[in-house]
Amino acid sequence: EAGEPPTEVIAFSRDAQLLATSNGDKSLQLRDLDTGTPERVLPSYSSGIYATAFSPDRRWFATGSKDRTVRIWEVATGRKVLTLTGHTGWVTSLAFSRDGHRLASGSLSGQLKIWNVFTGREFKDWAAHDGSVNSLVFAADDKQVVSASGDASVKTWDAETGAPLKTFAGHTAEVNTVALSPDARLLVSGGADKTVRVWDFKTGAALRTVEQDGGGEVFAVAFGPDGRQLFAGGRGGAIRVWSTDALVSGTDANKPTSLAAQEGGDVRALVVSFDGKRLASGASDGGVRVWDIASGREAFKLEGHADSVNSVALSPDGRWLASGSEDGSTRLWDASSGALAATLVSMTERADWVVVTPDGLFDGSPPAWNQILWRFDGDTYTVAPVEIFFNEFFYPDLLSEILASKQPRAKRSVAAIDRRQPALKLSVEGGSSSVAEGGAVASRNVMLKIEVVQSPAGARDIRLFRNGSLVRAWRGEVVGEMGRGAFEADVPIVAGENYFTAYAFNRNDVKSENAALLINGAASLKRTPTAHILAVGVNKYANPEYNLRFAVDDARDFAGEVKRQRAIIDTGAKVEVAFLLDEEATKANVLTAFKRLATGGALPASAPASLANLSKVEPEDTVFIYFAGHGTAQRSRFYLIPHDIGYTGQRNIEGEFSLKSILDHSISDQELERAVEPLNASQLVLVIDACNSGQALEAEEKRRGPMNSKGLAQLAYEKGMYVLTAAQSYQAALEAAQLGHGFLTYALVEEGLRKGEADLPRTRDGSVLVREWFEYASERVPEMQLATLTQKRGLGIDFSFTQPGGQDLQRPRVFYRRELDARPLVIARLGAGK
């Protein structure tokens, strides 16, 4: 149709029932062939990647995108930690400072920004050019940044003030690329005027102008690691190599040697290995090639991108090659073998992201899981959302494990598993027995029927959700292969919308599509909600080797502020608070508290008196669970360590028996899941300020803390909880003494709510949603810690960090529920109740 984007890909399903089309807007549409109606539209998942860069200190990896954003991936954790917005045009260039503390980004609009990498805060922003900023590089001293532009100029700027320093004039058309020699003596640029120009960087004097053989436009230039060779690539696929000395002196300057021409496309990007033996190039045909420089032969070709490769970057250790493409993805390759290690995709909406490996492992944020599709080897017509493989293939901190050369592997390839999904149907058993005027259900409870109508590979672990929160589960195998079955659940409903969903897994843990049912509850069902707050804090452990300083105050402060805000948000609502502090914070008492919330039943005589404050949770209610103390992750499981730690020896644990004793006395994520499953609440929030966990237990995986836990991700995913965990650095928490709190709780309570900082600038509507609250804390904590460390260093105080922003820098992690909120949870109303 006129005005519609062109169709780029079209395919029929094997059973000829579906037609799939992929359009220029990067959406995928599945249409029923009989009716022609769209069955599913998978929206654009990302925009073209124009720039990629590794920081020289190995901490960060960054991408610049057509969607006007810069995304920074933290190598230590392997997750996308920052999304930087504010550019008015496509982000076309990136460069890290040599110390790795700042990132420069340029855009199609001529805008140049410099960011603080640790905090994500904008340091400088100015209109640098009248044309696009196509290439950037920091000078060796980090005091200057060089930019090449579509306005035919090359300029240098003061990196602190943004003031212009020099203009290198001479190009007669767009300048596409710029590079500095390792000794910062020479500046080289290439452009659409088909020339390579060499400048004296210090004086700005033009030293040499070389026209490309054959008159091709120059898109990329790069120096060898010793500065003795210069490489240039451009239109037509030719890659030329000059001796830098000959080029400057004019000796045979116009007679470079050439590597074999890159077939099938223009050379858009170049990077040289640190040993000077290999050159990687990205081309407009979507290919990435690695060349042997001495022989000029192609070592190997990296295939997989579906569109032009605009950028290539090499990790500082030379192990990994990254390529950014117009297809919206960034791919990470083993630089020595050419094997694909991972694909990184960031969403154009919100801050969602996903990392996937060729054999099916993935990490990311839940909204991303349904927007990315697998295409299976040998079966190009079968696609499925990432989410259906969660149980077996979700792998927290996947990218960090890859970059650490740990070679994570799936137990089996995702292409090899039985992908035949169960099919479910959801209905009201026998119709509603009590319907109010207008068709809304007036009875408090309804009987739902979940039918397994198809199970070619069996059906197991059925789960039923109301408005995104789990209300009932049937564990284990419920229907055999090719079987059918029906299950009933008597569930309470609330006034307004009750959106029920159900799903199951096949015998290979492949998730079914959701069955859905909408029931409207009558206004007569409206009930004032109760907020239930369980706050656990442990300063004093049974083993004093593990004592802490701020956990009890953190628990009290968190509960007090949340209680105050709930009274403001739900006027007249009831707020229940129960504390388990120090000696009362035992495993038995914590699990008793959950049982009290689930049933409202009588408490044992030995239970702490404060647990009597809690009552049974109802569907309208919100539950806040807070834990401050030690925690650890062992393999894929996470454990909260209560007062009764079960170990009396020295802090450095020796022997599996001692470790097992601690874990047996701790509360695992599996026990948490069983404890919260009966809580029939509207919203559940879990905050774990166990930032001391990384060195709490000396074991094989001592670096794994709560932020790494697959178990917590599953808890959020399956139960519909919001989970926020502090990072794993033990030392980091002790540096917050002047705050009187752990960094996480201080950011959440003192700054986020009391000062209103969690009402993020992009909304600034006087309300703080739970997602805003957690996002603020996860970005603010490392910023606070960096400031603290810098201050201590200025005072001459010795501490264990080698430099600000080191690998121990604390960054919390958020685990979100799998569905977006039908009714977003408001944490605070600002400016009220003062």
Side-chain angles (χ1 to χ4, degrees), residues 13-35:
S13 62
R14 262 188 187 169
D15 58 8
Q17 294 180 358
L18 290 175
L19 174 69
T21 60
S22 175
N23 293 324
D25 61 0
K26 290 190 173 68
S27 67
L28 177 70
Q29 191 171 84
L30 304 180
R31 289 181 178 270
D32 186 298
L33 274 178
D34 292 331
T35 65

PDB file of all heavy atoms in Angstrom, residues 13-35:
ATOM      1  N   SER A  13       4.818 -20.133   6.983  1.00  0.00           N
ATOM      2  CA  SER A  13       5.068 -21.187   7.963  1.00  0.00           C
ATOM      3  C   SER A  13       4.962 -22.538   7.269  1.00  0.00           C
ATOM      4  O   SER A  13       4.362 -22.662   6.196  1.00  0.00           O
ATOM      5  CB  SER A  13       4.060 -21.098   9.108  1.00  0.00           C
ATOM      6  OG  SER A  13       2.748 -21.289   8.619  1.00  0.00           O
ATOM      7  N   ARG A  14       5.541 -23.554   7.876  1.00  0.00           N
ATOM      8  CA  ARG A  14       5.563 -24.879   7.244  1.00  0.00           C
ATOM      9  C   ARG A  14       4.169 -25.449   7.028  1.00  0.00           C
ATOM     10  O   ARG A  14       3.928 -26.171   6.080  1.00  0.00           O
ATOM     11  CB  ARG A  14       6.377 -25.838   8.116  1.00  0.00           C
ATOM     12  CG  ARG A  14       7.789 -25.973   7.601  1.00  0.00           C
ATOM     13  CD  ARG A  14       8.530 -27.043   8.313  1.00  0.00           C
ATOM     14  NE  ARG A  14       9.915 -27.028   7.895  1.00  0.00           N
ATOM     15  CZ  ARG A  14      10.871 -27.694   8.478  1.00  0.00           C
ATOM     16  NH1 ARG A  14      10.602 -28.417   9.523  1.00  0.00           N
ATOM     17  NH2 ARG A  14      12.104 -27.635   8.036  1.00  0.00           N
ATOM     18  N   ASP A  15       3.271 -25.139   7.956  1.00  0.00           N
ATOM     19  CA  ASP A  15       1.921 -25.663   7.800  1.00  0.00           C
ATOM     20  C   ASP A  15       1.045 -24.776   6.928  1.00  0.00           C
ATOM     21  O   ASP A  15      -0.148 -25.002   6.794  1.00  0.00           O
ATOM     22  CB  ASP A  15       1.265 -25.871   9.168  1.00  0.00           C
ATOM     23  CG  ASP A  15       1.204 -24.573   9.971  1.00  0.00           C
ATOM     24  OD1 ASP A  15       1.525 -23.512   9.409  1.00  0.00           O
ATOM     25  OD2 ASP A  15       0.842 -24.636  11.156  1.00  0.00           O
ATOM     26  N   ALA A  16       1.680 -23.727   6.350  1.00  0.00           N
ATOM     27  CA  ALA A  16       0.979 -22.817   5.428  1.00  0.00           C
ATOM     28  C   ALA A  16      -0.196 -22.100   6.076  1.00  0.00           C
ATOM     29  O   ALA A  16      -1.141 -21.720   5.401  1.00  0.00           O
ATOM     30  CB  ALA A  16       0.525 -23.562   4.178  1.00  0.00           C
ATOM     31  N   GLN A  17      -0.145 -21.926   7.393  1.00  0.00           N
ATOM     32  CA  GLN A  17      -1.221 -21.224   8.073  1.00  0.00           C
ATOM     33  C   GLN A  17      -0.856 -19.783   8.414  1.00  0.00           C
ATOM     34  O   GLN A  17      -1.723 -18.969   8.685  1.00  0.00           O
ATOM     35  CB  GLN A  17      -1.602 -21.965   9.360  1.00  0.00           C
ATOM     36  CG  GLN A  17      -2.218 -23.324   9.108  1.00  0.00           C
ATOM     37  CD  GLN A  17      -2.579 -24.042  10.388  1.00  0.00           C
ATOM     38  OE1 GLN A  17      -2.346 -23.544  11.472  1.00  0.00           O
ATOM     39  NE2 GLN A  17      -3.137 -25.227  10.263  1.00  0.00           N
ATOM     40  N   LEU A  18       0.435 -19.479   8.411  1.00  0.00           N
ATOM     41  CA  LEU A  18       0.877 -18.142   8.787  1.00  0.00           C
ATOM     42  C   LEU A  18       1.776 -17.558   7.705  1.00  0.00           C
ATOM     43  O   LEU A  18       2.552 -18.277   7.061  1.00  0.00           O
ATOM     44  CB  LEU A  18       1.653 -18.157  10.110  1.00  0.00           C
ATOM     45  CG  LEU A  18       0.873 -18.436  11.379  1.00  0.00           C
ATOM     46  CD1 LEU A  18       1.836 -18.526  12.564  1.00  0.00           C
ATOM     47  CD2 LEU A  18      -0.165 -17.356  11.644  1.00  0.00           C
ATOM     48  N   LEU A  19       1.658 -16.265   7.526  1.00  0.00           N
ATOM     49  CA  LEU A  19       2.541 -15.511   6.654  1.00  0.00           C
ATOM     50  C   LEU A  19       3.289 -14.515   7.514  1.00  0.00           C
ATOM     51  O   LEU A  19       2.696 -13.770   8.293  1.00  0.00           O
ATOM     52  CB  LEU A  19       1.737 -14.759   5.587  1.00  0.00           C
ATOM     53  CG  LEU A  19       2.524 -13.805   4.686  1.00  0.00           C
ATOM     54  CD1 LEU A  19       3.434 -14.601   3.759  1.00  0.00           C
ATOM     55  CD2 LEU A  19       1.571 -12.940   3.869  1.00  0.00           C
ATOM     56  N   ALA A  20       4.640 -14.491   7.426  1.00  0.00           N
ATOM     57  CA  ALA A  20       5.460 -13.568   8.203  1.00  0.00           C
ATOM     58  C   ALA A  20       6.082 -12.536   7.282  1.00  0.00           C
ATOM     59  O   ALA A  20       6.638 -12.884   6.237  1.00  0.00           O
ATOM     60  CB  ALA A  20       6.561 -14.321   8.943  1.00  0.00           C
ATOM     61  N   THR A  21       5.950 -11.277   7.646  1.00  0.00           N
ATOM     62  CA  THR A  21       6.568 -10.200   6.869  1.00  0.00           C
ATOM     63  C   THR A  21       7.374  -9.306   7.791  1.00  0.00           C
ATOM     64  O   THR A  21       6.958  -9.008   8.901  1.00  0.00           O
ATOM     65  CB  THR A  21       5.516  -9.341   6.140  1.00  0.00           C
ATOM     66  OG1 THR A  21       4.643  -8.762   7.103  1.00  0.00           O
ATOM     67  CG2 THR A  21       4.719 -10.172   5.160  1.00  0.00           C
ATOM     68  N   SER A  22       8.540  -8.902   7.335  1.00  0.00           N
ATOM     69  CA  SER A  22       9.398  -7.999   8.090  1.00  0.00           C
ATOM     70  C   SER A  22       9.569  -6.737   7.280  1.00  0.00           C
ATOM     71  O   SER A  22       9.997  -6.785   6.119  1.00  0.00           O
ATOM     72  CB  SER A  22      10.762  -8.642   8.359  1.00  0.00           C
ATOM     73  OG  SER A  22      11.612  -7.715   8.981  1.00  0.00           O
ATOM     74  N   ASN A  23       9.210  -5.606   7.880  1.00  0.00           N
ATOM     75  CA  ASN A  23       9.187  -4.344   7.141  1.00  0.00           C
ATOM     76  C   ASN A  23      10.359  -3.450   7.484  1.00  0.00           C
ATOM     77  O   ASN A  23      11.124  -3.718   8.399  1.00  0.00           O
ATOM     78  CB  ASN A  23       7.877  -3.605   7.429  1.00  0.00           C
ATOM     79  CG  ASN A  23       6.676  -4.343   6.863  1.00  0.00           C
ATOM     80  OD1 ASN A  23       6.759  -4.936   5.794  1.00  0.00           O
ATOM     81  ND2 ASN A  23       5.572  -4.336   7.594  1.00  0.00           N
ATOM     82  N   GLY A  24      10.449  -2.363   6.749  1.00  0.00           N
ATOM     83  CA  GLY A  24      11.527  -1.410   6.969  1.00  0.00           C
ATOM     84  C   GLY A  24      11.497  -0.769   8.334  1.00  0.00           C
ATOM     85  O   GLY A  24      12.485  -0.169   8.760  1.00  0.00           O
ATOM     86  N   ASP A  25      10.369  -0.861   9.047  1.00  0.00           N
ATOM     87  CA  ASP A  25      10.301  -0.314  10.404  1.00  0.00           C
ATOM     88  C   ASP A  25      10.813  -1.313  11.437  1.00  0.00           C
ATOM     89  O   ASP A  25      10.688  -1.095  12.636  1.00  0.00           O
ATOM     90  CB  ASP A  25       8.867   0.100  10.759  1.00  0.00           C
ATOM     91  CG  ASP A  25       7.889  -1.079  10.724  1.00  0.00           C
ATOM     92  OD1 ASP A  25       8.335  -2.215  10.420  1.00  0.00           O
ATOM     93  OD2 ASP A  25       6.703  -0.857  10.990  1.00  0.00           O
ATOM     94  N   LYS A  26      11.398  -2.428  10.966  1.00  0.00           N
ATOM     95  CA  LYS A  26      11.983  -3.476  11.807  1.00  0.00           C
ATOM     96  C   LYS A  26      10.945  -4.222  12.653  1.00  0.00           C
ATOM     97  O   LYS A  26      11.275  -4.828  13.649  1.00  0.00           O
ATOM     98  CB  LYS A  26      13.092  -2.930  12.704  1.00  0.00           C
ATOM     99  CG  LYS A  26      14.345  -2.534  11.942  1.00  0.00           C
ATOM    100  CD  LYS A  26      15.458  -2.234  12.916  1.00  0.00           C
ATOM    101  CE  LYS A  26      16.771  -2.004  12.192  1.00  0.00           C
ATOM    102  NZ  LYS A  26      16.788  -0.796  11.398  1.00  0.00           N
ATOM    103  N   SER A  27       9.655  -4.140  12.258  1.00  0.00           N
ATOM    104  CA  SER A  27       8.663  -4.942  12.959  1.00  0.00           C
ATOM    105  C   SER A  27       8.459  -6.250  12.196  1.00  0.00           C
ATOM    106  O   SER A  27       8.692  -6.338  10.995  1.00  0.00           O
ATOM    107  CB  SER A  27       7.319  -4.194  13.045  1.00  0.00           C
ATOM    108  OG  SER A  27       6.746  -4.060  11.756  1.00  0.00           O
ATOM    109  N   LEU A  28       8.045  -7.264  12.925  1.00  0.00           N
ATOM    110  CA  LEU A  28       7.713  -8.548  12.310  1.00  0.00           C
ATOM    111  C   LEU A  28       6.233  -8.782  12.536  1.00  0.00           C
ATOM    112  O   LEU A  28       5.745  -8.695  13.653  1.00  0.00           O
ATOM    113  CB  LEU A  28       8.517  -9.683  12.942  1.00  0.00           C
ATOM    114  CG  LEU A  28       8.182 -11.082  12.420  1.00  0.00           C
ATOM    115  CD1 LEU A  28       8.670 -11.239  10.991  1.00  0.00           C
ATOM    116  CD2 LEU A  28       8.804 -12.145  13.308  1.00  0.00           C
ATOM    117  N   GLN A  29       5.508  -9.059  11.449  1.00  0.00           N
ATOM    118  CA  GLN A  29       4.064  -9.258  11.558  1.00  0.00           C
ATOM    119  C   GLN A  29       3.719 -10.668  11.093  1.00  0.00           C
ATOM    120  O   GLN A  29       4.184 -11.125  10.054  1.00  0.00           O
ATOM    121  CB  GLN A  29       3.326  -8.231  10.700  1.00  0.00           C
ATOM    122  CG  GLN A  29       1.824  -8.191  10.974  1.00  0.00           C
ATOM    123  CD  GLN A  29       1.174  -7.023  10.285  1.00  0.00           C
ATOM    124  OE1 GLN A  29       0.841  -7.110   9.104  1.00  0.00           O
ATOM    125  NE2 GLN A  29       0.984  -5.929  10.987  1.00  0.00           N
ATOM    126  N   LEU A  30       2.939 -11.372  11.921  1.00  0.00           N
ATOM    127  CA  LEU A  30       2.457 -12.703  11.574  1.00  0.00           C
ATOM    128  C   LEU A  30       0.975 -12.601  11.234  1.00  0.00           C
ATOM    129  O   LEU A  30       0.178 -12.117  12.037  1.00  0.00           O
ATOM    130  CB  LEU A  30       2.672 -13.675  12.736  1.00  0.00           C
ATOM    131  CG  LEU A  30       4.103 -13.807  13.257  1.00  0.00           C
ATOM    132  CD1 LEU A  30       4.152 -14.808  14.408  1.00  0.00           C
ATOM    133  CD2 LEU A  30       5.048 -14.216  12.157  1.00  0.00           C
ATOM    134  N   ARG A  31       0.591 -13.055  10.028  1.00  0.00           N
ATOM    135  CA  ARG A  31      -0.800 -12.946   9.592  1.00  0.00           C
ATOM    136  C   ARG A  31      -1.382 -14.341   9.348  1.00  0.00           C
ATOM    137  O   ARG A  31      -0.718 -15.236   8.842  1.00  0.00           O
ATOM    138  CB  ARG A  31      -0.901 -12.136   8.289  1.00  0.00           C
ATOM    139  CG  ARG A  31      -0.624 -10.661   8.460  1.00  0.00           C
ATOM    140  CD  ARG A  31      -0.757  -9.927   7.129  1.00  0.00           C
ATOM    141  NE  ARG A  31      -0.541  -8.510   7.288  1.00  0.00           N
ATOM    142  CZ  ARG A  31      -1.505  -7.630   7.558  1.00  0.00           C
ATOM    143  NH1 ARG A  31      -2.749  -8.048   7.694  1.00  0.00           N
ATOM    144  NH2 ARG A  31      -1.229  -6.361   7.693  1.00  0.00           N
ATOM    145  N   ASP A  32      -2.648 -14.488   9.725  1.00  0.00           N
ATOM    146  CA  ASP A  32      -3.382 -15.703   9.443  1.00  0.00           C
ATOM    147  C   ASP A  32      -3.680 -15.737   7.945  1.00  0.00           C
ATOM    148  O   ASP A  32      -4.288 -14.825   7.397  1.00  0.00           O
ATOM    149  CB  ASP A  32      -4.680 -15.732  10.249  1.00  0.00           C
ATOM    150  CG  ASP A  32      -5.424 -17.049  10.106  1.00  0.00           C
ATOM    151  OD1 ASP A  32      -5.822 -17.378   8.977  1.00  0.00           O
ATOM    152  OD2 ASP A  32      -5.611 -17.724  11.131  1.00  0.00           O
ATOM    153  N   LEU A  33      -3.268 -16.799   7.253  1.00  0.00           N
ATOM    154  CA  LEU A  33      -3.409 -16.843   5.795  1.00  0.00           C
ATOM    155  C   LEU A  33      -4.861 -16.975   5.342  1.00  0.00           C
ATOM    156  O   LEU A  33      -5.214 -16.565   4.250  1.00  0.00           O
ATOM    157  CB  LEU A  33      -2.582 -17.998   5.225  1.00  0.00           C
ATOM    158  CG  LEU A  33      -1.106 -17.683   4.946  1.00  0.00           C
ATOM    159  CD1 LEU A  33      -0.400 -18.913   4.429  1.00  0.00           C
ATOM    160  CD2 LEU A  33      -0.989 -16.555   3.948  1.00  0.00           C
ATOM    161  N   ASP A  34      -5.696 -17.564   6.199  1.00  0.00           N
ATOM    162  CA  ASP A  34      -7.097 -17.723   5.799  1.00  0.00           C
ATOM    163  C   ASP A  34      -7.852 -16.406   5.869  1.00  0.00           C
ATOM    164  O   ASP A  34      -8.656 -16.091   4.989  1.00  0.00           O
ATOM    165  CB  ASP A  34      -7.781 -18.762   6.695  1.00  0.00           C
ATOM    166  CG  ASP A  34      -7.234 -20.163   6.462  1.00  0.00           C
ATOM    167  OD1 ASP A  34      -6.791 -20.438   5.321  1.00  0.00           O
ATOM    168  OD2 ASP A  34      -7.235 -20.964   7.409  1.00  0.00           O
ATOM    169  N   THR A  35      -7.591 -15.649   6.927  1.00  0.00           N
ATOM    170  CA  THR A  35      -8.359 -14.406   7.126  1.00  0.00           C
ATOM    171  C   THR A  35      -7.573 -13.159   6.757  1.00  0.00           C
ATOM    172  O   THR A  35      -8.161 -12.102   6.529  1.00  0.00           O
ATOM    173  CB  THR A  35      -8.788 -14.285   8.596  1.00  0.00           C
ATOM    174  OG1 THR A  35      -7.620 -14.148   9.411  1.00  0.00           O
ATOM    175  CG2 THR A  35      -9.562 -15.507   9.044  1.00  0.00           C
TER     176      THR A  35
END
